[in-house]
Amino acid sequence: MNRTVYSLIGVVTALAAVTGLASLTDPSGESATGPAAATRLPVERSTLVCPQPTSSEIGETTYTAFTPAGGAGREAAGKGSAALLPAASTLEGGGQQNAEKDKSDEDGKGDKSDEGGGSGKTAEPEPVVPLSEPGRPVTADTDGSGSPALTGSATGRLAPGWTVQQTTLVTAGAGRGLLGASCTEPDTEFWFPGVSTAEARSDYIHLVNPDDTPAVVDLELYGEDGSVRTDSGQGINVPGRATIPVLLSTLSTEPVTDVVLHVVARAGRIGAQVQALDDKLGGDWLTASAVSRGTLVLPGVPADATGVRLIAFAPGDADADLKVRLATPTGSITPAGQENLHVKRGMTVAVDLGDLTRGEAGSLLLGPAEEGGDAPVVAALQVLRGKGGDREMGFVPATGPIRERVSAAGGDAAATDDKKGETAALSLVAPEEGVKVRVTASAGSGGGEPVSKTYTLKGGTTTVVDGLRPEGGKGRYALTVEKLSGGPVHAARTLTRTEDGVPMFTVQTLPDDRSTVAVPGVEQDLSVLVD
């Protein structure tokens, strides 16, 4: 028998051994016949960034952190941790400052800057709202303007659905009102319809870098005539673990009332939110709009809104013709005189919709006016409540649908209409077909038991969930929405309170919490062993 035959026998024997081993070690116990379907597993790490809450010396801020409990397989990721840490503050035209508030006087431990007998070591910053278990919120309060921006991560069983809400009450001065923001995931691109560089407004874009490496950011403004000429805004360097606030009026050469801000990180990634402050109309946070080629949903317009202004923009290469509808509790209607909206590419359009809701809570739906229309669009609403000098403004950006689940933290379990505190209401929108969802009010941060209720939503309607709270709840609580069946569903949570006759409010839109990730299936492929 020659050498070639021996070699061939050796190859066949090796392949047979590998084949047998692969069959024995197949997790299913059976030989694979095709690729397995992708499965969704809980994420093992989540990252959030929170902007500096206020520059007002009389601002009072409450942080509420929460991770929802339950879900098949969600305990397998391990115990985990979740907390936020202060980011350094980089001021315009100046150096970097550590914005962490010294807590030594609060805990009675004295100066921590030189512990260990004069070693000169700087104390590690204290984590903010650290979580130890899912299902129960954790809160922290802070006063004044010294509160820093925050960055942090959640791991293990605390990562899926981790959310942090910061709510700030400012009772006087420019931008007074109830300012609320959900801390956001970092990304590389954001669109903000509804900002302004008008003289009465002071709008700041807060750029927060959660990573160790620097990020480079470009800021672009678009008005009704297209791109707004700017003197700066390109190549802004955001150091690692730091934040930079930029006053938008310093970017434009002249005041512009209705503006769309485009934020692009050409290196690294950032968190970005706009703090809009008005001399007479109060203030609030504006989060980024979803970008859609189909129907844009802007949920959570309050029933008592006294003014609604729509700002839209087409960032693509084509104009957009949109059909305007309002999803009310009983069905969809077309606002009189505002049936259609034409948005020229690269130009901002603003439309005053007046008292759009007429006493009923609703959600604005913007869809292609003709079948096949697919020009991308971004949009947001500037909403007013109150009259005269007691008006307050808030924003409702377009938001994506809930695929599985989402949570909103920060409701006050003890608040009522006749008692100070933030009452919470949830707006659920089924823009197309019917949907079935389950809403859970979590246990309170100070005690109580969760309460759940199932809702069936009709297509083309907005359903308001008002008054769902934990049983015997104390402190702050969270609302969790789980989609059970049906078509797309969108959501927003509104916090309201009355202070000195001003109907203060803030709306947080609630896209899916992305608590699970698709893991593709695998199959055995022995062909890789044969040349």
Side-chain angles (χ1 to χ4, degrees):
M1 189 176 291
N2 59 34
R3 185 173 300 175
T4 303
V5 175
Y6 280 121
S7 300
L8 179 59
I9 292 174
V11 170
V12 172
T13 302
L15 284 173
V18 172
T19 304
L21 179 61
S23 298
L24 288 173
T25 56
D26 182 5
S28 66
E30 300 176 359
S31 61
T33 58
T39 58
R40 299 199 69 87
L41 297 176
V43 298
E44 296 182 0
R45 185 180 182 87
S46 298
T47 299
L48 293 177
V49 295
C50 312
Q52 182 180 1
T54 182
S55 58
S56 172
E57 292 295 336
I58 60 173
E60 300 175 358
T61 299
T62 297
Y63 293 98
T64 307
F66 177 73
T67 293
R74 296 187 189 276
E75 303 299 325
K79 185 177 180 181
S81 62
L84 297 164
L85 293 173
S89 177
T90 301
L91 305 179
E92 294 178 272
Q96 198 175 110
Q97 297 183 354
N98 189 344
E100 180 192 4
K101 184 179 180 180
D102 185 7
K103 299 182 180 180
S104 60
D105 293 337
E106 298 177 12
D107 57 23
K109 294 180 181 179
D111 187 2
K112 295 183 179 181
S113 61
D114 190 14
E115 295 180 348
S119 63
K121 295 182 179 180
T122 302
E124 291 293 327
E126 293 288 337
V128 179
V129 286
L131 278 177
S132 59
E133 61 176 328
R136 186 178 295 276
V138 172
T139 66
D141 297 321
T142 183
D143 296 332
S145 61
S147 301
L150 304 172
T151 70
S153 297
T155 61
R157 65 174 183 159
L158 296 173
W162 180 49
T163 184
V164 179
Q165 166 81 12
Q166 63 177 43
T167 305
T168 302
L169 175 65
V170 179
T171 56
R176 62 96 177 93
L178 190 65
L179 292 79
S182 295
C183 301
T184 60
E185 296 180 354
D187 208 337
T188 58
E189 185 178 28
F190 307 85
W191 291 94
F192 296 93
V195 304
S196 177
T197 63
E199 293 181 0
R201 287 271 289 270
S202 299
D203 288 11
Y204 289 83
I205 176 67
H206 287 251
L207 307 172
V208 186
N209 182 356
D211 301 318
D212 294 326
T213 56
V216 180
V217 180
D218 293 337
L219 305 178
E220 301 167 345
L221 300 177
Y222 297 89
E224 62 178 359
D225 297 323
S227 179
V228 175
R229 180 183 172 185
T230 60
D231 293 331
S232 57
Q234 301 296 304
I236 298 174
N237 186 285
V238 185
R241 308 288 179 179
T243 180
I244 292 180
V246 179
L247 180 61
L248 296 184
S249 61
T250 63
L251 303 181
S252 62
T253 56
E254 58 184 33
V256 184
T257 300
D258 298 303
V259 180
V260 172
L261 168 65
H262 186 206
V263 179
V264 179
R266 52 179 151 113
R269 58 176 187 163
I270 56 166
Q273 296 199 54
V274 172
Q275 189 178 51
L277 308 175
D278 190 280
D279 291 343
K280 297 180 179 179
L281 302 178
D284 206 352
W285 289 97
L286 171 60
T287 55
S289 167
V291 182
S292 178
R293 294 180 180 270
T295 298
L296 277 175
V297 180
L298 298 87
V301 183
D304 60 352
T306 55
V308 178
R309 188 171 180 81
L310 169 64
I311 304 94
F313 181 79
D317 297 327
D319 295 355
D321 288 298
L322 305 175
K323 179 173 57 177
V324 181
R325 292 179 295 149
L326 180 69
T328 72
T330 56
S332 294
I333 62 174
T334 300
Q338 303 291 347
E339 296 86 356
N340 296 285
L341 181 67
H342 180 71
V343 185
K344 294 183 179 180
R345 60 173 182 164
M347 298 182 182
T348 299
V349 60
V351 180
D352 191 353
L353 301 177
D355 55 343
L356 175 70
T357 57
R358 297 184 182 277
E360 288 188 318
S363 304
L364 200 68
L365 309 178
L366 301 176
E370 298 180 358
E371 188 175 351
D374 62 352
V377 178
V378 297
L381 298 174
Q382 181 184 357
V383 180
L384 298 178
R385 294 178 70 226
K387 296 181 180 181
D390 293 332
R391 289 182 295 172
E392 164 80 341
M393 76 174 182
F395 296 93
V396 180
T399 186
I402 300 171
R403 194 186 60 80
E404 286 186 346
R405 186 183 70 173
V406 70
S407 297
D412 189 343
T416 60
D417 292 337
D418 58 354
K419 181 179 179 180
K420 285 191 176 182
E422 290 87 50
T423 58
L426 187 69
S427 294
L428 302 171
V429 190
E432 299 174 6
E433 55 186 277
V435 186
K436 189 175 183 179
V437 300
R438 178 169 55 239
V439 181
T440 301
S442 75
S445 58
E449 296 298 326
V451 174
S452 295
K453 190 173 181 179
T454 300
Y455 297 86
T456 300
L457 317 177
K458 294 182 179 180
T461 66
T462 295
T463 298
V464 177
V465 177
D466 192 3
L468 187 65
R469 297 176 184 173
E471 183 178 350
K474 297 179 180 180
R476 300 277 171 167
Y477 71 101
L479 291 169
T480 298
V481 182
E482 298 171 272
K483 179 182 173 182
L484 303 179
S485 62
V489 59
H490 301 248
R493 193 278 313 273
T494 303
L495 297 176
T496 60
R497 70 180 292 160
T498 300
E499 195 78 23
D500 296 330
V502 179
M504 298 180 177
F505 74 111
T506 180
V507 180
Q508 281 76 59
T509 52
L510 307 174
D512 189 83
D513 65 10
R514 295 191 284 185
S515 59
T516 62
V517 63
V519 179
V522 296
E523 66 172 339
Q524 299 178 49
D525 185 2
L526 299 180
S527 65
V528 299
L529 301 175
V530 181
D531 188 0

